[in-house]
Amino acid sequence: YGFSYVVSTGNEAVINSADYIEYFVRDNHTEIIALFSESILQPERFIAALDYAADAGKPVVVLKVGKSQRSAAAVQTHTGGLAGDTRVFSSVLRAHRAIEVDDLEEMAEVLAAWQGVGRPKGRRFGVITSSGGHAEFILDVAARRKLNMPPLPPLARHQIEQVTGPLTGDGNPVDAWGQGTYITNFTEALRALDNCDVYDNIVLVTDGMDGQPIDEDQYQRDCADLLLAAAARSHKAYYVLTTRHGVFRRDQTEWLKPGGIPILSGVAQGLGAVARLSEYLAPARPIRQARGRNDGIESVLLGAHHRPTIHEYDSKRELSAYGVPVTRELFASSLDGAVLAAKEIGFPIVLKVVADDVPHRTDAGLVAVGIRDPGELAERWSVLQERWSQRIQSGPPDGFLIQEFIEPGVEIIIGVKRDPAFGLFIAVGSGGILTEILDDVAMRPLPLRDGDAEVMLDETRVAAQLCGVRGGGAADRDALVAAIYAVADFAIANGPYIAGIDVNPMVVHEVGRGCVAVDALIIPQRAGYTN
């Protein structure tokens, strides 16, 4: 591939990345934009530039450095900009249709893949090789990288085997060396794969390199000619792939260039680049219209004085008004009131101290679970009061919460955080005690697009639990998705007053039994916030 411009932006004291992106979108010589970024100095302009490029059909490929703790410190020192939270920045890029890559090798292959005339219409690969070992190697890499390589359909397999002889495995990749001549075999394999509606992209693997002593020039030229002829008759995207990154024949790039067929190098990098481009080219889902009230909750969040956090009882009441399912619970300020509340809720119950100043009560021993009768309630009430007086020095608690006991299920966290540069984000993943252990969350900026909640769940490891494990039934995923959107709606409607929201755990029961927020916390944004 060629460059129209190469710009070193320095520390961007005057002109920054957004300026260059906007310029290159307008430039007729530029088809794709690559950005090696240390920091983003004007987040709102950067996002606007990404949208401008996406609307113009020019991909922006981004390699962000400063992801590790040490490199983030180096970025801060070197440029004076904020490196930013890695997952926040990645979710911004995805939401605004940029292509994020992990290294320079992946960036090179995305740029190379975009040079083709054909554009990938999906992620499904049909691959042809001249080596059984190559086929197995490619399958290993595809499994690790989650590349989509559907098996060869029976009819196509039968047609190819009539020419090449028996194929191994499930037929994809097609080891087309077989019997007879490679020209005949490759021609039949290309024809059969092109006619299969299970493949979006056709890839021919030829491991050539400049100066390679064991490959004949005629073989490489024949492969190029076969591919050019097949691509000219097809509506699919065609590629040549070499298995080692950065290793290929430069003369073959010249042979293929008139037909618009790119050469990719490295199985993971090359096929991964096509997969990334197919995601970029997929139609963007519309921004989801938030549902619920729009009257704000400033009085609850701030009250007569600034509340450091909004305790569980108030947080749940506000969230439930937007459709977030919460536990049945009652507030009590005396033991007699607690006993009456417990009888109304029904034993067993959970007893919790309620206080704005103590958001994490389990760590302080201020939660009692599974209380079965009034006598045990009185004992636990006394214990929690004693612990409060011994450990907490901020006056009496706001009260006590008498809550229904919830049977076990899949525990999910739904959280909202405010990034100082990019605003509000929602995170979804493994909840309960696994939240900090697994660090298993997917993240998106608000507002969400249609389908974002479903895709976020699929990106987490907890998705497997939702499908049911060890004989258990599948969890009520639809109810959970609705709850995620409800939390997002609440955050959007009350955005100026929200610094963070923590619904953890949201317990998801089997299909048809819904889900319920067992605990929740809202962290208000201090007055004066204007973004």
Side-chain angles (χ1 to χ4, degrees):
Y1 54 85
F3 294 100
S4 54
Y5 302 91
V6 178
V7 178
S8 176
T9 67
N11 64 5
E12 301 187 2
V14 179
I15 300 174
N16 61 44
S17 299
D19 294 294
Y20 293 112
I21 293 172
E22 291 168 359
Y23 177 86
F24 293 140
V25 171
R26 295 190 296 268
D27 178 66
N28 291 330
H29 301 291
T30 301
E31 298 176 1
I32 187 169
I33 302 163
L35 173 65
F36 179 99
S37 174
E38 292 180 274
S39 57
I40 303 301
L41 300 182
Q42 292 182 297
E44 290 186 1
R45 277 201 63 206
F46 178 73
I47 287 174
L50 295 182
D51 290 341
Y52 183 37
D55 291 342
K58 293 189 178 184
V60 179
V61 188
V62 182
L63 172 58
K64 175 71 168 63
V65 295
K67 292 183 176 181
S68 66
Q69 185 175 0
R70 289 180 67 187
S71 66
V75 168
Q76 189 86 325
T77 302
H78 180 56
T79 69
L82 291 174
D85 182 282
T86 298
R87 285 181 296 204
V88 165
F89 189 71
S90 294
S91 64
V92 166
L93 294 178
R94 169 176 284 200
H96 295 277
R97 296 170 291 170
I99 301 173
E100 185 177 20
V101 293
D102 293 327
D103 51 45
L104 289 168
E105 289 79 10
E106 288 186 350
M107 175 176 278
E109 296 313 309
V110 173
L111 298 178
W114 190 253
Q115 309 303 309
V117 171
R119 293 284 186 251
K121 298 179 175 62
R123 297 169 51 92
R124 303 172 301 174
F125 293 97
V127 179
I128 301 169
T129 79
S130 58
S131 162
H134 268 172
E136 294 152 12
F137 172 62
I138 292 167
L139 287 172
D140 286 342
V141 174
R144 289 197 301 270
R145 294 299 187 100
K146 298 182 179 178
L147 299 169
N148 191 356
M149 298 188 59
L152 189 64
L155 177 59
R157 179 169 191 150
H158 174 74
Q159 292 170 339
I160 295 173
E161 288 182 333
Q162 294 302 302
V163 177
T164 67
L167 298 175
T168 60
D170 61 25
N172 186 24
V174 179
D175 176 9
W177 193 253
Q179 61 196 18
T181 68
Y182 65 83
I183 292 179
T184 301
N185 293 354
F186 285 7
T187 299
E188 177 58 27
L190 288 166
R191 185 200 64 77
L193 289 184
D194 193 82
N195 288 335
C196 291
D197 59 8
V198 299
Y199 303 121
D200 306 300
N201 310 290
I202 310 300
V203 180
L204 178 64
V205 179
T206 63
D207 241 0
M209 58 179 285
D210 288 345
Q212 181 168 307
I214 61 173
D215 247 353
E216 295 182 4
D217 290 345
Q218 189 60 47
Y219 169 75
Q220 294 293 345
R221 185 61 200 244
D222 287 342
C223 287
D225 289 342
L226 290 172
L227 208 63
L228 287 167
R233 299 189 296 266
S234 176
H235 64 279
K236 296 183 178 181
Y238 275 70
Y239 305 91
V240 167
L241 175 70
T242 61
T243 57
R244 292 166 291 168
H245 183 261
V247 177
F248 52 89
R249 290 182 59 131
R250 283 176 290 181
D251 55 3
Q252 197 168 50
T253 67
E254 297 303 316
W255 299 334
L256 293 168
K257 188 177 294 183
I261 298 176
I263 286 187
L264 308 177
S265 64
V267 175
Q269 299 91 340
L271 298 185
V274 178
R276 290 177 189 270
L277 288 175
S278 72
E279 292 176 2
Y280 167 80
L281 291 166
R285 299 188 304 274
I287 298 293
R288 182 178 176 276
Q289 296 300 311
R291 298 169 176 83
R293 307 177 330 196
N294 289 296
D295 53 355
I297 56 170
E298 182 176 11
S299 61
V300 173
L301 292 177
L302 302 180
H305 63 285
H306 180 77
R307 302 172 69 175
T309 66
I310 308 305
H311 61 60
E312 177 182 355
Y313 183 64
D314 282 351
S315 292
K316 283 181 175 176
R317 285 193 300 169
E318 296 302 324
L319 289 166
S320 66
Y322 283 77
V324 179
V326 303
T327 49
R328 292 184 299 116
E329 56 197 32
L330 293 170
F331 188 85
S333 56
S334 68
L335 177 57
D336 289 341
V339 172
L340 291 175
K343 290 179 178 178
E344 182 174 340
I345 294 291
F347 289 101
I349 58 101
V350 177
L351 180 66
K352 300 179 178 179
V353 171
V354 175
D356 285 345
D357 294 332
V358 187
H360 304 295
R361 293 155 297 169
T362 301
D363 295 343
L366 299 176
V367 176
V369 179
I371 299 173
R372 298 192 173 278
D373 55 54
E376 186 179 358
L377 174 57
E379 292 176 8
R380 298 292 187 91
W381 178 281
S382 177
V383 169
L384 265 56
Q385 280 195 320
E386 180 66 20
R387 287 176 180 168
W388 175 271
S389 63
Q390 290 177 350
R391 302 183 185 186
I392 309 300
Q393 306 298 323
S394 59
D398 296 316
F400 288 80
L401 194 62
I402 291 79
Q403 186 180 100
E404 66 174 323
F405 180 82
I406 299 297
E407 294 295 330
V410 180
E411 295 189 348
I412 302 291
I413 183 173
I414 306 173
V416 173
K417 64 174 287 187
R418 181 180 296 281
D419 181 81
F422 294 106
L424 290 176
F425 287 75
I426 190 166
V428 177
S430 299
I433 63 173
L434 297 179
T435 298
E436 296 181 2
I437 297 173
L438 296 182
D439 192 24
D440 173 39
V441 295
M443 188 177 290
R444 293 290 188 280
L446 292 177
L448 294 176
R449 294 182 179 273
D450 286 343
D452 270 352
E454 294 89 333
V455 175
M456 289 169 70
L457 287 174
D458 289 338
E459 293 173 1
T460 65
R461 282 174 280 177
V462 78
Q465 282 184 272
L466 294 171
C467 294
V469 294
R470 293 189 174 181
D476 201 331
R477 183 183 167 106
D478 289 345
L480 174 59
V481 166
I484 294 169
Y485 284 129
V487 173
D489 291 343
F490 173 85
I492 292 169
N494 301 285
Y497 312 115
I498 301 295
I501 302 170
D502 187 5
V503 179
N504 186 27
M506 173 73 74
V507 176
V508 190
H509 297 293
E510 291 188 355
V511 173
R513 296 182 57 202
C515 61
V516 61
V518 175
D519 199 356
L521 180 73
I522 298 171
I523 303 171
Q525 178 67 35
R526 293 188 178 277
Y529 179 77
T530 57
N531 187 14

